[in-house]
Amino acid sequence: MAIRRALIAVGISMGCAGAPPVAPVAPEALQAERLAITDQTLSGFTAEARFELTNTGETPMQITGATYDLTMDGKPLTAGQMDLDQTASPGAIVSLRVPVSAEVVHNADELKAMVARGDSPIPLLMKGTIKTSQGGTQSEIPFSRTGELRAPRLPVPRMNDTALGRSDQDVTVSFYFGLENQNPFEIKVKNITYKAVVDGKEIGSGTASIGDRLPASQTAEYPIQENVLNLDRSKTEIPYRFSGSVDLGLVQVPIDLTGTMKFEASKSMHKKKHKEEE
């Protein structure tokens, strides 16, 4: 599986302290948390290793480089290195962040395989070194940190509400189509197409949205109205079928929603496109 090479960046912050005796930097001086997932999409993610490194010597310490090797499920994702040019004063505590980005999904089959993993955590492992130079001594401080990734979820089509409104000439059919994003990150949607059938007759079709962004953990709502002539008004309930597709680029999510509609006044409650889930 082809993997796009990751980008890595290191942020440094320093604080001053007293000057302890001269000593090479030891691996024990490198403190770290578990890997953090700082960014995610349907196709990739960024795992960030965070450290605090203490200059235990009485001379400045140069941080000259870093290496990384990221695996997921025991399989290599990406590896690399970068040159650094940072200096830590004697006794300073240096905060390091090593974010590594990887694309793990490149086509519809790979995305479906990731989605099929559900809520089972996907293990991550990042190994590497921080390269330093102090007092003429070169050191490589190893690190190895684990983390977990949650598989992405495809958006879920829902019919939030429907309504039928009578007039002297025609009937107004209203659909309040919802698209739920169950991920803790935003999803980009290329377009949403639909076809509406009421009482066995196609009453409209088209595009509900183009280039939309679904907010994290929210449901986007798309009001769609069609005016229909010659609809049987003698019925109190009329069956409908709302079908179509949500195009995410890598994959298309089918829409196939059915139910019944009742004649009633159109609701004024559907004014916000995005509403947060309770």
Side-chain angles (χ1 to χ4, degrees):
M1 180 173 65
I3 299 297
R4 190 174 69 184
R5 179 169 287 267
L7 298 177
I8 181 172
V10 178
I12 306 291
S13 64
M14 301 179 182
C16 294
V22 177
V25 177
E28 290 77 16
L30 188 61
Q31 305 297 322
E33 307 169 1
R34 285 174 58 83
L35 291 175
I37 304 301
T38 60
D39 187 32
Q40 190 175 1
T41 65
L42 290 176
S43 60
F45 67 94
T46 298
E48 184 174 86
R50 300 170 180 175
F51 313 97
E52 284 191 352
L53 178 62
T54 303
N55 181 357
T56 58
E58 58 184 15
T59 59
M61 176 180 65
Q62 285 75 43
I63 302 172
T64 60
T67 67
Y68 62 88
D69 188 340
L70 180 64
T71 64
M72 183 178 75
D73 249 353
K75 300 176 181 178
L77 279 184
T78 186
Q81 61 181 348
M82 69 173 295
D83 294 329
L84 299 175
D85 184 16
Q86 302 289 344
T87 301
S89 302
I93 298 176
V94 182
S95 295
L96 303 176
R97 292 175 181 255
V98 181
V100 178
S101 300
E103 291 291 312
V104 296
V105 168
H106 304 87
N107 54 53
D109 289 339
E110 291 178 354
L111 179 55
K112 290 175 182 178
M114 280 287 288
V115 171
R117 303 191 65 152
D119 293 330
S120 299
I122 303 173
L124 300 173
L125 173 64
M126 188 192 299
K127 293 182 177 181
T129 61
I130 302 297
K131 299 180 179 182
T132 66
S133 177
Q134 186 173 23
T137 301
Q138 309 294 321
S139 299
E140 290 191 10
I141 307 174
F143 68 86
S144 178
R145 290 296 177 266
T146 60
E148 292 179 346
L149 180 72
R150 196 188 85 169
R153 300 179 181 182
L154 297 179
V156 180
R158 302 188 185 282
M159 186 58 69
N160 291 341
D161 204 355
T162 61
L164 289 171
R166 292 187 179 95
S167 70
D168 292 339
Q169 303 298 325
D170 55 21
V171 173
T172 300
V173 181
S174 300
F175 296 97
Y176 300 96
F177 171 67
L179 193 59
E180 182 184 2
N181 180 8
Q182 299 179 343
N183 297 288
F185 55 84
E186 179 183 86
I187 293 180
K188 297 179 182 179
V189 177
K190 291 187 66 175
N191 61 66
I192 302 173
T193 58
Y194 73 93
K195 180 176 72 173
V197 175
V198 175
D199 205 18
K201 300 177 182 179
E202 181 177 336
I203 63 167
S205 62
T207 302
S209 175
I210 297 177
D212 199 11
R213 295 174 180 264
L214 303 182
S217 304
Q218 294 189 30
T219 296
E221 187 173 87
Y222 304 89
I224 297 169
Q225 289 189 336
E226 301 284 351
N227 293 324
V228 185
L229 296 173
N230 304 319
L231 193 64
D232 189 350
R233 304 186 183 200
S234 64
K235 299 179 180 180
T236 57
E237 292 187 349
I238 299 177
Y240 73 84
R241 188 181 204 98
F242 190 90
S243 59
S245 179
V246 180
D247 188 353
L248 301 176
L250 282 174
V251 70
Q252 293 193 349
V253 178
I255 303 170
D256 191 9
L257 303 169
T258 59
T260 57
M261 312 178 73
K262 295 182 179 181
F263 279 102
E264 56 186 357
S266 297
K267 295 177 173 57
S268 60
M269 61 191 297
H270 300 281
K271 294 182 178 180
K272 287 185 65 178
K273 185 178 181 183
H274 299 298
K275 64 177 184 178
E276 188 169 356
E277 291 292 295
E278 297 293 336

